[in-house]
Amino acid sequence: MLAFIATRIPGPVAETADRDPGILTLVFTLARAVRIGTEAAFARRCALAEAAGGPNPF
């Protein structure tokens, strides 16, 4: 079926110019990783403070 469809296409498909170059995906992925990492680090610090008998900031 794919061979039949490929033979019916008159020419190469033109790509649009507004495609994501990958740098935006990389930036948003890194920002998400940093945000999740800071939230996890804060939760660990709170758990350590609570285990030591200090106040719980939550």
Side-chain angles (χ1 to χ4, degrees):
M1 184 70 177
L2 181 60
F4 177 73
I5 293 171
T7 58
R8 306 294 267 170
I9 297 175
V13 177
E15 298 256 350
T16 59
D18 63 342
R19 290 184 54 116
D20 179 20
I23 190 71
L24 294 176
T25 304
L26 177 64
V27 168
F28 286 119
T29 302
L30 289 174
R32 185 181 311 120
V34 167
R35 188 190 74 220
I36 291 171
T38 56
E39 289 174 358
F42 181 71
R44 283 192 305 271
R45 284 194 304 269
C46 292
L48 286 173
E50 187 176 12
N56 187 355
F58 283 125

